[in-house]
Every structure is written in structure tokens, then in C-alpha cells.
Amino acid sequence: MVQGEHFPQSSAPLSTLRNGTRPVVIAGPCSAESRDQVMDTARLLHAQPGVSFLRAGLWKPRTRPNSFEGRGTEALPWLMEAQRETGLRAMTEVATPEHVEAVLEAGLNAMWIGARTTVSPFAVQALADALKGVDALVLVKNPMHGDVKLWMGAIERLHSSVQGEVGALHRGFSSYGSHEFRNAPMWEIPIALRAEMPEVPLLCDPSHIAGRPDLIQDVAQRAMNLGMEGLMLESHVDPSCALSDADQQITPAQLHQLLATLEVPTSGVEGSQDRDALEGLRLQIDSVDEQLMRLLSRRMELAKDIGVLKHKNRWSLLSVARWRDIIASRTTWGSELGLSPEFLEKILGSVHEESIRVQGDEANERRANKDQGDA
Ligand code: PEP
Ligand code: MN
């Protein structure tokens, strides 16, 4: 491991940094809010080595209307000024051909495509057409949901149109309900992308995966352990005042601290390929287990709702016919997927037992509440 060692400031394209000892780092605020905020952040990011690109969103894809939607073209000169003064290469998100036109006209030639855009082949094709023959660097974030083919398709559309370099940016995947990460990393998806497209530089955006500062370092480290080429990190001079993604932005000082403690595995050392493979497999197991826990929890929530209905209608908790159907259908599904009958019997038995317990608890609680009400 090489620790605390920085690669020099550089505006070279990503590919020339692929096998360097340090990751490519893109840092900057979620949104460009004012000239001062952009300049102050860029200067602080540049003050220490390690960062080579400045990011800032100009057109913000917000989930609900009537929130801050970015400064738009007004902010382009701020990014260009920061690029001129600090030498950090500026980049922003483009979502429409008009954005591409405005960005290129201002002289900016590095950009990324956001997760909400990657889901739409029509939108991606329109961007690819707007970038036809243009010498630009384009990073394609993964789509909102875990569809590796859709991500690959977007990369292919851009690759066949853009003159410059196209890279992939892993920002995690949206999922229902609340959980540890803002966007589940589902490491198996970027690992599958790497296997299918080994020539495409693959970067990670720990800020949008983590959604909170205390998880960012761990996500960044995992990306390094998987051999990803770089990181995109959101950084703001004063995160508490940020107009978008205030909860996940870190200060430039915190970002430099993170980079200084990041361990970057050296490649080419004996056994390193097997170590990378082991790390990749473990991360996939972590991700699958996280999804398993979420599904089990969802199943128990449904069992609780069933408990309420059974209590209300005075139906019995145990339905032998339904249980037989469950065992038969799940055993067939599981066997088709290569799971052993003994394992299926044990796991289905445990799940059933817990469901009945949860339903019973729910019914007992309702009964107790009612008794209290009657008393
Ligand atoms: C962003 O980078 O600020 C952004 C909106 O990202 P994403 O497309 O990953 O949500
Ligand atoms: Mn953001």
C-alpha cells in the first residue's frame, strides 16, 4: 500500500493516470452557488496536492420542484475563472443538448451525465449527438437503478460519438425505504461493468453513495481496494450553508485529510490479483447481504400487517394450506436456482417461524391496547 503519497497536479486526461499510484480526484461543490463560493472552494481544494478536477453542478436535477435548481449559464464564467486561476480542470453535469452547447461555447470540455439522465436512452443519445466529434471528457454516472446494461449502453452511445475520453462514474443505486447509504453501492454492478468494459476508466462518487460525511472515507477506500481509477467528492467551503446536498458535503480540509489517509493498493505485486479478486467477492457478499436484510425486514413488515388483519377479523394465525403452498413454490424456485433442498427447508422454516411470531406479537399488542382502552 502507498499511503499519504500524492500524484502531482495534472490536467492530463484520465487514461494517462490510470495506472498511477494515486486516484484521479474530482472535487467541488454539489452546486455552483456564487462566484465567491466557487472561487473560495477551488482555491482551497488547489492549495494542497491531490485534486486535479473541479466539479460544480449548474443545472440541478431536484427530486421535487421549487427547490434550488442551480444558477445555470450565469455560473459558467465562475467555473472558467476557477479553472484559469487554479489549473484545476472544471467540469459540470449536462442533461440536455442545450446544456452541452452552453458548456462548449464557454470553453469547458469536461462534463458528466447524471444518474437521472443515464436511465433514458433517448436523452443519452441526444447528448451523444450534441457531442459528436467533440474533443471532450465525459463521465457517465450509473443509472438510478441497478441495470448494468443500461449503463453500458449509455457509455457505448457516447463512446461512438465523442472524440475524447469516456469514463464511468459509480454513484450508487436508489432503493425503496431508508437504509445506511443514501444510494446502495451494490458493488457487484460496477464490478460487472469493469468485467464487461475493462478499457473504460471507472471512478466512484462516494458522496452520493454515502449521503453523509462519516461514511465517505469507507466508501472511497472500498473503491480504491477494487482498483477504481478515481473519485468524485463533493466539497463546499461551508457545507452547512450549501443550497443542495448540504448533508453530504465536506470541507476542502476534510477532503485533503481523507486523501492523505486513503490507502491505494499497488498493482502488479505478487498475489495482488488474487487479493483484488477476494476483495471484489467480499464486497459483493456485503452488498447481497445488505439486500437480504432489507428484504427480510420488508417480509416481516408485511407479516405484521397480516397480523393486524387476522386480529381484526379473528382469523387464526396459522394457515396450514397457505404454508404448504409457500413451501412447495419456494422449494421449486430455490431448487431451480441451485439451492439445496436441506438448506431451503431450514431457511423457509426459520422465516415462517419468525413471521408467525411477528404476527402474534402484533395481534397481542392490539389486544393489550384494546384492553387498556376498555379499562
Ligand atoms: C450531483 O453530482 O450533484 C448529482 C446530482 O448526482 P447524481 O446524478 O449522482 O444524483
Ligand atoms: Mn450533489
Side-chain angles (χ1 to χ4, degrees):
M1 298 272 181
V2 182
Q3 194 174 340
E5 183 189 291
H6 300 285
F7 66 86
Q9 298 284 351
S10 171
S11 61
L14 290 168
S15 60
T16 66
L17 298 168
R18 270 189 81 125
N19 296 317
T21 54
R22 298 299 296 177
V24 178
V25 179
I26 303 163
C30 178
S31 304
E33 298 167 5
S34 68
R35 178 180 169 276
D36 284 353
Q37 172 247 10
V38 171
M39 294 306 296
D40 291 350
T41 309
R43 285 179 189 131
L44 288 168
L45 287 170
H46 176 66
Q48 308 257 340
V51 178
S52 46
F53 287 81
L54 174 71
R55 66 146 282 156
L58 308 186
W59 300 278
K60 299 307 297 180
R62 304 311 296 273
T63 306
R64 311 275 305 266
N66 305 322
S67 39
F68 172 69
E69 289 185 326
R71 299 281 182 229
T73 45
E74 177 199 359
L76 271 168
W78 310 336
L79 278 190
M80 298 314 292
E81 187 182 347
Q83 176 171 278
R84 265 196 314 278
E85 186 186 305
T86 61
L88 297 175
R89 190 168 171 195
M91 62 191 310
T92 194
E93 174 176 343
V94 288
T96 67
E98 291 75 30
H99 295 165
V100 171
E101 203 181 310
V103 156
L104 295 177
E105 206 178 291
L108 198 143
N109 65 352
M111 56 204 87
W112 77 87
I113 294 177
R116 289 160 192 79
T117 307
T118 311
V119 288
S120 163
F122 292 126
V124 172
Q125 191 57 53
L127 293 173
D129 293 344
L131 283 160
K132 192 149 194 66
V134 174
D135 185 8
L137 169 71
V138 185
L139 295 181
V140 183
K141 288 206 181 193
N142 62 255
M144 297 293 281
H145 60 293
D147 184 340
V148 73
K149 293 259 169 12
L150 200 53
W151 196 6
M152 286 167 59
I155 293 168
E156 284 160 353
R157 285 174 200 279
L158 284 144
H159 200 69
S160 59
S161 191
V162 176
Q163 263 290 306
E165 188 159 27
V166 179
L169 185 48
H170 167 228
R171 52 77 79 194
F173 301 87
S174 163
S175 61
Y176 180 73
S178 61
H179 42 91
E180 191 183 14
F181 297 102
R182 177 179 178 195
N183 289 294
M186 294 174 74
W187 296 102
E188 65 276 20
I189 307 270
I191 288 170
L193 184 92
R194 166 116 300 172
E196 296 280 342
M197 298 181 137
E199 70 293 350
V200 174
L202 174 58
L203 286 79
C204 180
D205 171 349
S207 302
H208 286 88
I209 291 175
R212 40 185 249 232
D214 61 317
L215 289 181
I216 293 176
Q217 175 102 34
D218 183 56
V219 175
Q221 186 59 58
R222 281 166 192 259
M224 292 299 94
N225 297 350
L226 279 179
M228 292 197 190
E229 277 78 30
L231 299 170
M232 178 186 266
L233 295 158
E234 283 193 340
S235 180
H236 191 289
V237 267
D238 186 357
S240 64
C241 298
L243 298 180
S244 60
D245 285 349
D247 292 346
Q248 72 192 29
Q249 301 205 57
I250 54 177
T251 63
Q254 287 170 321
L255 185 135
H256 287 124
Q257 177 62 24
L258 182 154
L259 294 182
T261 48
L262 203 61
E263 295 188 350
V264 184
T266 42
S267 53
V269 176
E270 207 188 326
S272 70
Q273 263 188 358
D274 284 349
R275 256 207 327 269
D276 289 355
L278 177 67
E279 180 73 21
L281 292 169
R282 282 184 173 155
L283 282 176
Q284 291 182 72
I285 285 200
D286 289 352
S287 173
V288 169
D289 283 353
E290 197 217 337
Q291 292 168 65
L292 258 180
M293 293 308 123
R294 221 170 318 129
L295 286 173
L296 282 172
S297 153
R298 177 85 188 113
R299 196 189 196 286
M300 295 310 154
E301 288 299 320
L302 293 169
K304 264 191 214 165
D305 292 347
I306 289 183
V308 173
L309 283 181
K310 285 183 175 171
H311 169 71
K312 184 172 143 214
N313 293 286
R314 298 179 190 282
W315 294 330
S316 94
L317 282 187
L318 200 62
S319 160
V320 176
R322 164 78 179 152
W323 177 235
R324 278 210 194 102
D325 283 351
I326 287 188
I327 293 278
S329 57
R330 277 51 163 179
T331 304
T332 308
W333 299 344
S335 306
E336 281 169 8
L337 293 168
L339 299 172
S340 77
E342 299 75 27
F343 174 64
L344 287 168
E345 194 184 324
K346 269 192 258 168
I347 198 152
L348 289 170
S350 300
V351 167
H352 183 242
E353 212 175 283
E354 181 64 4
S355 292
I356 296 290
R357 188 190 68 73
V358 162
Q359 286 182 27
D361 282 359
E362 194 59 32
N364 283 339
E365 202 169 304
R366 302 242 149 197
R367 219 167 278 123
N369 288 344
K370 183 171 179 296
D371 288 349
Q372 266 182 6
D374 289 348

